[in-house]
Amino acid sequence: MQTINSYDFKGKKALIRVDFNVPLNENFVITDDTRIQAALPTIRKIMKDGGSPVIMSHFGRPKNGPEDKFSMRHLVGHLSDLLGVEVKLAPDCVGEEVKAMAAALKPGEVLLLENLRFHKGEEKGDEEFAKQLADNGDCWVNDAFGTAHRAHASTAVIARFFPNDKMFGYLIESEVESLDKVVKNPQRPLTAIMGGAKVSSKITIIENLLSKVDNLILGGGMTYTFVKANGGSVGNSICEDDFLETAKNIEKLAKEKGVNLIIASDVLAADAFSNDANTQICASNAIPDGWQGLDAGPESIAQMKEVIENSGTILWNGPVGVFEMETFAKGTKEVGAAIVEATKKGAFSLVGGGDSVSAANQFGIAPGVSYISTAGGALLEYLEGKVLPGVAAVRGE
Ligand code: AMP
């Protein structure tokens, strides 16, 4: 397998699939350029080697062909500033004119192709469309982990046209390496903290993790489905009655696999879903009617911290309380602080999934963890144990 570090890009037109799906405000100004920043190391490496990056991405959700509000033209100025060269914009992502523009690039020059999703063939994974994309380059670099779980033309199918000239960019390489430190050969003990609102959205991951982890902390809104399944009173707490049986099965499976399953024994309950609500600490299985559990209680927080601080590897996905409200943020903050502590002592920690990433950023935890993944769907599917087409295509699996 080729790698971006060992590949010689000199004189090559390198087709790079990136994820430039950034948010814009009503004046078409980029409001968060994290995804563009994340792709810069790969683009710069190719330029430095004397290659010419031909950058392709999707942007927004155009439904019926080209639409100005989804044009890559809104990104070209900022990308030029970041790279310090004037990036050329192609009028489309395929076709003779585009192919000629790519072919005419001199070393170090950069071409940005127009939105891939202006063509239906992209999401359909159409082979002919993939072939036309492939005509714009001598090699293919996949650096879009955010779309690696999709078998689209530019993220997977295109690999067929570059049997010996395909590789990951730095971003995917580090995502996959970091995830493998958790799911393949973790330093023990391995602790996963799964939080968030619902059990239903996380069942497959939880089931897959049960055969890997030593400790599994289930927090947040999921707590109450488990508590109720065991006959507890959860008051008005969020609870999925259709998943009581699932919760029981997860507990049974954890027992069979020898996993230490931790679910809050005490909670911070409130008489309304509001930052200004009245609150009380109560046992998680004795929440009075009219009250709802919105954060872990002190006893549970202490137990979670103890487990986290003694872990060799930690995976965190989802907050353990309604962290958006200050009154109910303590559990999530403390879990984050414990992860930072463990990391200082040598543990490998990975935070992934939208809400835990925002919590980690909001509470200043991010700099103290080993790796933050922003991949969303692709990350979750990897943790579910699924093969990601964008990863498999590069590896030739
Ligand atoms: P998810 O998208 O499933 O990861 O859920 C994240 C959301 O779960 C966050 O917005 C939290 O506020 C919310 N959440 C966490 N704990 C609770 C809880 N006890 N009750 C209701 N919502 C919660």
Side-chain angles (χ1 to χ4, degrees):
M1 206 179 108
Q2 302 281 5
T3 68
I4 177 149
N5 267 339
S6 59
Y7 196 84
D8 185 5
F9 291 96
K10 192 160 189 280
K12 297 258 167 76
K13 322 288 182 227
L15 260 174
I16 320 173
R17 176 52 158 107
V18 296
D19 177 3
F20 278 0
N21 192 22
V22 291
L24 301 183
N25 68 14
E26 62 285 2
N27 298 318
F28 299 100
V29 174
I30 300 167
T31 52
D32 177 355
D33 72 348
T34 310
R35 287 177 169 162
I36 298 182
Q37 294 278 357
L40 295 179
T42 295
I43 300 170
R44 289 197 178 118
K45 149 79 169 133
I46 292 164
M47 293 167 75
K48 196 164 138 269
D49 273 8
S52 314
V54 178
I55 302 172
M56 54 181 177
S57 178
H58 71 288
F59 179 44
R61 292 180 179 275
K63 288 276 167 287
N64 291 307
E67 236 180 297
D68 184 63
K69 71 172 173 177
F70 298 121
S71 169
M72 301 304 273
R73 81 180 177 86
H74 304 298
L75 313 189
V76 77
H78 188 57
L79 183 61
S80 300
D81 291 345
L82 290 171
L83 291 173
V85 299
E86 201 171 314
V87 173
K88 299 173 200 294
L89 177 67
D92 198 348
C93 55
V94 290
E96 286 309 315
E97 189 182 350
V98 179
K99 198 169 137 183
M101 279 179 91
L105 291 173
K106 297 193 184 67
E109 288 187 341
V110 183
L111 179 67
L112 178 62
L113 302 186
E114 190 48 284
N115 196 341
L116 293 162
R117 291 197 187 162
F118 285 170
H119 291 262
K120 293 230 181 320
E122 167 62 0
E123 289 181 85
K124 279 194 189 140
D126 182 77
E127 185 152 354
E128 179 50 35
F129 178 66
K131 164 86 177 67
Q132 289 176 18
L133 287 173
D135 284 346
N136 298 320
D138 305 309
C139 58
W140 173 61
V141 181
N142 190 5
D143 211 17
F145 192 70
T147 45
H149 57 317
R150 307 272 182 234
H152 293 171
S154 69
T155 62
V157 181
I158 193 170
R160 289 173 210 168
F161 304 101
F162 299 105
N164 302 311
D165 299 277
K166 55 182 181 176
M167 68 215 86
F168 294 132
Y170 288 120
L171 185 61
I172 291 210
E173 204 175 64
S174 59
E175 285 275 353
V176 172
E177 260 174 37
S178 302
L179 281 166
D180 283 348
K181 280 190 193 163
V182 176
V183 295
K184 296 230 166 107
N185 282 310
Q187 268 186 98
R188 303 270 168 193
L190 165 60
T191 300
I193 307 141
M194 302 295 295
K198 294 177 169 176
V199 187
S200 52
S201 57
K202 309 236 161 135
I203 301 169
T204 330
I205 301 175
I206 294 174
E207 286 173 351
N208 190 44
L209 287 175
L210 279 172
S211 52
K212 303 188 187 324
V213 299
D214 303 294
N215 305 299
L216 178 60
I217 298 174
L218 294 181
M222 274 193 261
T223 309
Y224 309 97
T225 305
F226 282 84
V227 171
K228 189 164 177 185
N230 284 305
S233 308
V234 298
N236 289 12
S237 307
I238 185 171
C239 180
E240 291 175 284
D241 286 331
D242 293 344
F243 288 85
L244 299 177
E245 204 53 41
T246 308
K248 286 299 254 185
N249 282 336
I250 289 172
E251 282 185 333
K252 189 164 151 261
L253 203 59
K255 208 171 250 161
E256 282 168 18
K257 306 249 181 208
V259 172
N260 175 26
L261 182 65
I262 295 159
I263 291 166
S265 53
D266 64 342
V267 300
L268 179 63
D271 62 357
F273 191 81
S274 153
N275 197 38
D276 305 321
N278 295 307
T279 60
Q280 62 170 309
I281 306 286
C282 51
S284 57
N285 61 2
I287 302 173
D289 284 345
W291 292 70
Q292 54 189 307
L294 295 180
D295 196 8
E299 188 181 283
S300 311
I301 294 176
Q303 191 195 10
M304 292 174 186
K305 286 183 76 165
E306 160 90 23
V307 167
I308 294 168
E309 285 176 15
N310 290 302
S311 298
T313 306
I314 302 150
L315 166 71
W316 185 23
N317 173 270
V320 299
V322 185
F323 74 100
E324 297 94 333
M325 295 188 229
E326 180 57 33
T327 313
F328 311 106
K330 187 160 193 279
T332 302
K333 275 187 199 168
E334 299 264 337
V335 160
I339 295 174
V340 172
E341 256 326 289
T343 313
K344 269 192 206 148
K345 289 195 285 180
F348 178 80
S349 54
L350 189 148
V351 178
D355 278 311
S356 20
V357 174
S358 350
N361 285 327
Q362 195 176 320
F363 303 139
I365 294 157
V369 302
S370 315
Y371 193 78
I372 301 245
S373 169
T374 49
L379 168 85
L380 299 183
E381 291 197 15
Y382 204 77
L383 294 176
E384 283 174 8
K386 291 188 184 146
V387 171
L388 305 184
V391 171
V394 173
R395 287 179 171 163
E397 286 164 352

